Amino acid sequence: MPKAENDGEQSEAPSPNPKRRGLARSLGLGVVTGAADDDCSAIGTYASAGAQFGTSLLWTAPITFPMMFAVVYLSSKLGQVSGKGLFHVIKDHYSSWVLWPTLIGVLVGNTIEAAADLGGMAAALGLFVPLPAPVIVSGVALAILALQVWGSYETIRNIFRWLALVLFAYVGSALLAKPDPWEVLRGTLVPTVQFSGEFLSILVAIIGTSLSAYLYTWQSNVEVEEKIQQGRTTLEERRGTTQGDLRRSRNDILTGMLFSNIIMYFIILSTGATLHKAGQTNIDTAAQAAEALRPIAGDTAGILFAVGIIAVGFLAVPIMTTGAAYDLCQVIGWKSSLHARPKEAKKFYAVIAGFTLVAVVLNFIGFNPMRALVYSGIVQGFSTPPLLLFILLMTNNRKIMGDKVNTLPLNILSWITVGAIFAATAGLVASWFI
């Protein structure tokens, strides 16, 4: 295949790897990214939204779906065309006074969300394992770190893919709870907004956790890792992509975001039809959150909830800590690739270990683990808007993208997304002073 020119263009040619074609690939990387979006923080946030406000927040699922697709696809396209990770591109085209505040915001958001996810996993395991939460958190973190350091990229990817399927339990639970169809229809089609700190906090958390910053960095970097897997190890070999590969990426991401959004919808519906209906409007413990799965699991609801939380935690926490390591190493100039052995990228793996350690230590502060899941979504809601803006600007820059700049419809959708998340966070801040 001809190498790309410096403007990021590449002649149209078939992808050299036939395994990337078709439905199998769409159910691969796209579902991994989509399921990682439904991490422990997302489950906690969506469950709290349903418990607190019933079915009145179901409309957030169809509204956020196109937004999720747009921003993740832009990140994917940026990685494919540039051959670089997200923060590598930002470093090349923006000054340090822009780069470092954005980086710090993303690193803080990723680390806090990883910490909340570890705490959520520990709370779920604590239903059955008679050990102190700090011990469980430390053990889970060590297991995840070992997988990242000594497991191959292919192993990690394949494990993520299968673990994602457990999330479908929320679909069955919501259906078996037999919610009022008219309330469901109204909640889905008629947006309800309350100008209160309580409502806007959960709304920002929903947006923040569904559009989390770690998704963008992971998606751009995983595109680079895919090219390295194909043997395109130099930047010149990785730079550029074809329209065919972009179409396949759109299918991947559309599948993944649809998967994520369906799960989001049914978590809100299942908790709204069970906990909210029963008057349980606040979720403080893992046992309370597990009650939403009782229609499908009965007395084993706690087990099913624990399996789901642990599965998505093992899916998402490595993506958060590895994504943070990618970002920092790309800015500093250190080698960063999951295809590299630990001895070949010592600093990269040390940074992964460092972020994991910070996430563990944050759990020793004593926050309620279920509430921390929601708070982490709020933090992401504040840290992601600037990054979204940079992604949009860069994917419209011909010096970076060549002839692969965004189309008008994609730009319109992306600007709406940026405006919506800025408006939600601004509304929450305003509510604090009124």
Side-chain angles (χ1 to χ4, degrees):
M1 177 181 292
K3 293 181 183 178
E5 301 298 332
N6 289 336
D7 64 359
E9 297 181 22
Q10 185 172 345
S11 60
E12 185 76 28
S15 172
N17 186 352
K19 292 182 179 179
R20 299 181 70 207
R21 298 179 182 275
L23 180 62
R25 185 173 190 269
S26 293
L27 293 174
L29 297 180
V31 170
V32 168
T33 303
D37 195 24
D38 287 326
D39 67 316
C40 306
S41 173
I43 292 174
T45 298
Y46 304 151
S48 294
Q52 196 167 3
F53 297 100
T55 58
S56 63
L57 277 169
L58 287 175
W59 61 270
T60 57
I63 291 291
T64 57
F65 171 56
M67 298 179 181
M68 293 159 63
F69 165 77
V71 296
V72 177
Y73 174 64
L74 291 183
S75 302
S76 171
K77 186 169 72 165
L78 182 66
Q80 290 185 68
V81 174
S82 69
K84 305 173 184 177
L86 175 57
F87 270 88
H88 195 161
V89 183
I90 296 177
K91 177 185 177 183
D92 289 345
H93 294 275
Y94 291 91
S95 62
S96 59
W97 70 269
V98 170
L99 172 66
W100 281 100
T102 305
L103 175 66
I104 291 170
V106 170
L107 296 183
V108 169
N110 281 15
T111 306
I112 290 176
E113 188 154 358
D117 280 10
L118 287 172
M121 296 167 73
L125 277 169
L127 295 174
F128 311 101
V129 180
L131 291 174
V135 174
I136 301 176
V137 168
S138 300
V140 169
L142 284 174
I144 291 174
L145 184 61
L147 177 65
Q148 291 170 274
V149 175
W150 289 288
S152 68
Y153 171 69
E154 291 79 10
T155 299
I156 294 173
R157 184 182 64 188
N158 291 333
I159 290 174
F160 289 170
R161 187 177 299 166
W162 289 107
L163 287 179
L165 300 179
V166 75
L167 297 172
F168 279 109
Y170 289 96
V171 177
S173 179
L175 295 176
L176 290 175
K178 298 180 180 179
D180 184 300
W182 291 113
E183 288 186 6
V184 172
L185 188 63
R186 184 171 59 251
T188 303
L189 300 179
V190 182
T192 301
V193 178
Q194 302 173 22
F195 194 75
S196 67
E198 199 172 54
F199 182 89
L200 291 174
S201 292
I202 202 71
L203 181 60
V204 169
I206 289 173
I207 295 174
T209 196
S210 62
L211 299 173
S212 295
Y214 70 85
L215 287 179
Y216 321 145
T217 56
W218 174 260
Q219 190 66 39
S220 64
N221 284 295
V222 82
E223 297 293 351
V224 175
E225 295 283 10
E226 283 287 291
K227 293 189 176 188
I228 293 173
Q229 186 183 21
Q230 298 167 16
R232 296 153 74 175
T233 56
T234 68
L235 179 58
E236 282 301 312
E237 290 172 331
R238 293 196 301 269
R239 186 179 289 130
T241 191
T242 68
Q243 290 295 345
D245 278 344
L246 288 177
R247 282 193 297 270
R248 283 185 284 274
S249 292
R250 284 197 294 269
N251 292 337
D252 293 348
I253 294 162
L254 187 64
T255 302
M257 294 302 100
L258 181 61
F259 175 91
S260 174
N261 208 254
I262 288 172
I263 299 303
M264 168 187 175
Y265 182 89
F266 280 101
I267 291 175
I268 296 174
L269 179 56
S270 63
T271 53
T274 54
L275 302 184
H276 182 80
K277 187 176 180 179
Q280 181 65 57
T281 57
N282 291 311
I283 297 179
D284 295 316
T285 68
Q288 290 172 342
E291 287 299 305
L293 292 174
R294 185 168 290 279
I296 196 172
D299 292 338
T300 62
I303 296 175
L304 188 58
F305 174 78
V307 170
I309 286 287
I310 295 164
V312 296
F314 268 95
L315 174 71
V317 171
I319 290 180
M320 294 173 195
T321 55
T322 304
Y326 276 130
D327 299 342
L328 182 59
C329 290
Q330 286 166 11
V331 169
I332 296 176
W334 294 341
K335 181 176 182 179
S336 57
S337 173
L338 287 175
H339 277 96
R341 298 178 180 177
K343 65 180 181 181
E344 298 170 339
K346 295 178 181 178
K347 294 177 180 178
F348 174 60
Y349 286 102
V351 171
I352 293 176
F355 282 120
T356 304
L357 178 60
V358 173
V360 170
V361 171
L362 287 175
N363 277 278
F364 296 163
I365 296 176
F367 288 118
N368 180 295
M370 301 309 297
R371 291 186 180 274
L373 295 175
V374 179
Y375 296 153
S376 68
I378 296 174
V379 171
Q380 286 283 11
F382 280 94
S383 66
T384 57
L387 190 60
L388 289 180
L389 181 59
F390 286 129
I391 292 171
L392 183 53
L393 294 174
M394 289 187 295
T395 50
N396 279 294
N397 187 337
R398 289 192 176 274
K399 292 182 179 179
I400 301 172
M401 304 299 293
D403 65 348
K404 305 298 191 301
V405 292
N406 300 335
T407 62
L408 179 60
L410 185 57
N411 270 331
I412 292 173
L413 176 57
S414 301
W415 279 113
I416 291 173
T417 301
V418 171
I421 192 167
F422 269 109
T425 53
L428 176 57
V429 172
S431 73
W432 295 340
F433 300 98
I434 295 177

